[in-house]
Amino acid sequence: MINNIQARLASALRFPLILLCAWFSVSAWAVNSLPGGPALLELNLQPPVTAIARDQAWLNDLLMIVCTVVFIGVFGVMFYSIWKHRKSVGHKAATFHESVAIEITWTIVPFVIIVLMAFPATKLIVAAKDTTNADLTVKVTGYQWKWGYDYLNGEGQGIAFLSTINPKMREFAAVGARGAPIPDNYLLDVDHPLVVPVNKKVRIITTSVDVIHSWAVPALGVRQDAIPGFVRDVWFRAEKVGTYYGDCTELCGKEHAFMPVVVKVLSDDDYTKWVAGEHQKLAAGSNASSAPVASK
């Protein structure tokens, strides 16, 4: 009897123990949350640092609540009806065809819900596309597989460089960590991030020279396709100094995963110093890391 109980207990615990061991083995390789980027066990949007990103988070929460209420309402009524009017307690299926009242109801109610959901969504899209009165304009060009940044006006006018993934990340991806700690910004580190000042409206103009890419930074609330032969724009105003991470969000080829986006937001003074340093490099003609995009 005891042996039988032990055998059943061991059988019941086998699968949970396997899962627990797997979890421990994975946790040994775990990285930490990345400020300005993805976080461990993240279930919602990244913490916003722009007004547009905050509105997106609010809209996302609102729509999730509406969808949850509709889901519970529809399936609640359906399962209640199935249980309450089941055949085993004597109910018989009704035999009717067409009901004008019901058809009008299930047409009007979803229509009203969709209109109420579309109104704040449309308002947000219009606000996100209002790129007028920008303090700084940067042209972002997508390449396979890097980004080109050209500062078209403002303090940094004339600065241009390419932003490519840190080669160390390629090594990790190719041969594995081999015992080395995996950095928190795995596949999200670049040699030259886009640098912008805090609390300034930055207009981003996107295009591409080969295939469709998409420039996206969740914390800034921006995502804009870069399409060959076309110019699109979007804007953001970062309210907090820091480094923010994103990716190309359009499958663009075999090295799509190696196209991270990194935006470094500096205070006004630090941004002015960075601009002065970049201009000095350009003047000296030794800015190897900031080679003009047009020359590529």
Side-chain angles (χ1 to χ4, degrees):
M1 181 66 179
I2 295 177
N3 290 337
N4 191 26
I5 294 175
Q6 289 177 339
R8 289 187 178 184
L9 185 61
S11 177
L13 294 177
R14 185 183 305 161
F15 187 65
L17 286 174
I18 291 175
L19 290 179
L20 188 62
C21 292
W23 182 82
F24 272 117
S25 64
V26 172
S27 66
W29 296 93
V31 295
N32 300 309
S33 296
L34 180 65
L40 293 176
L41 304 177
E42 190 172 68
L43 297 177
N44 209 336
L45 304 180
Q46 294 180 13
V49 292
T50 67
I52 292 294
R54 274 198 303 275
D55 290 345
Q56 290 173 349
W58 174 83
L59 181 61
N60 176 72
D61 294 342
L62 174 66
L63 297 187
M64 286 299 296
I65 292 173
V66 172
C67 291
T68 302
V69 170
V70 171
F71 177 85
I72 293 175
V74 170
F75 283 89
V77 170
M78 185 180 75
F79 286 116
Y80 171 80
S81 300
I82 292 173
W83 175 256
K84 185 69 177 179
H85 303 95
R86 62 191 185 277
K87 183 178 180 180
S88 60
V89 294
H91 285 281
K92 295 183 179 179
T95 55
F96 64 90
H97 186 265
E98 294 183 358
S99 172
V100 175
I102 293 177
E103 291 179 359
I104 291 176
T105 301
W106 73 38
T107 301
I108 291 180
V109 171
F111 177 77
V112 171
I113 293 175
I114 290 175
V115 169
L116 293 177
M117 294 167 68
F119 179 74
T122 304
K123 183 180 178 182
L124 178 58
I125 292 174
V126 171
K129 298 303 293 183
D130 180 13
T131 58
T132 58
N133 301 320
D135 299 301
L136 168 65
T137 301
V138 180
K139 177 186 173 186
V140 178
T141 305
Y143 299 85
Q144 287 181 318
W145 287 268
K146 50 185 170 283
W147 296 102
Y149 296 120
D150 289 85
Y151 290 66
L152 301 183
N153 61 13
E155 284 184 80
Q157 184 173 1
I159 295 175
F161 56 86
L162 293 173
S163 179
T164 309
I165 190 170
N166 185 336
K168 194 70 177 176
M169 302 298 155
R170 288 182 178 273
E171 293 181 19
F172 276 125
V175 300
R178 293 184 174 178
I182 299 178
D184 296 340
N185 58 354
Y186 175 62
L187 292 183
L188 289 174
D189 190 23
V190 298
D191 51 0
H192 303 295
L194 173 67
V195 180
V196 299
V198 69
N199 289 323
K200 292 291 173 34
K201 185 172 184 177
V202 180
R203 181 189 181 201
I204 298 293
I205 300 176
T206 63
T207 188
S208 172
V209 298
D210 38 50
V211 299
I212 298 177
H213 303 276
S214 185
W215 195 85
V217 182
L220 301 179
V222 293
R223 180 189 183 279
Q224 183 61 59
D225 283 354
I227 306 171
F230 291 86
V231 173
R232 297 287 184 268
D233 63 353
V234 70
W235 70 277
F236 66 87
R237 189 197 307 272
E239 299 170 348
K240 186 178 178 183
V241 171
T243 303
Y244 304 100
Y245 300 88
D247 266 309
C248 175
T249 53
E250 190 72 47
L251 184 60
C252 58
K254 66 182 179 65
E255 296 190 18
H256 165 68
F258 301 116
M259 278 192 73
V261 176
V262 181
V263 178
K264 195 171 183 179
V265 180
L266 301 178
S267 65
D268 289 341
D269 290 342
D270 289 340
Y271 178 72
T272 299
K273 293 176 184 176
W274 177 82
V275 169
E278 292 299 308
H279 280 154
Q280 286 178 358
K281 292 177 184 177
L282 289 174
S286 60
N287 188 11
S289 62
S290 298
V293 173
S295 66
K296 298 293 178 179

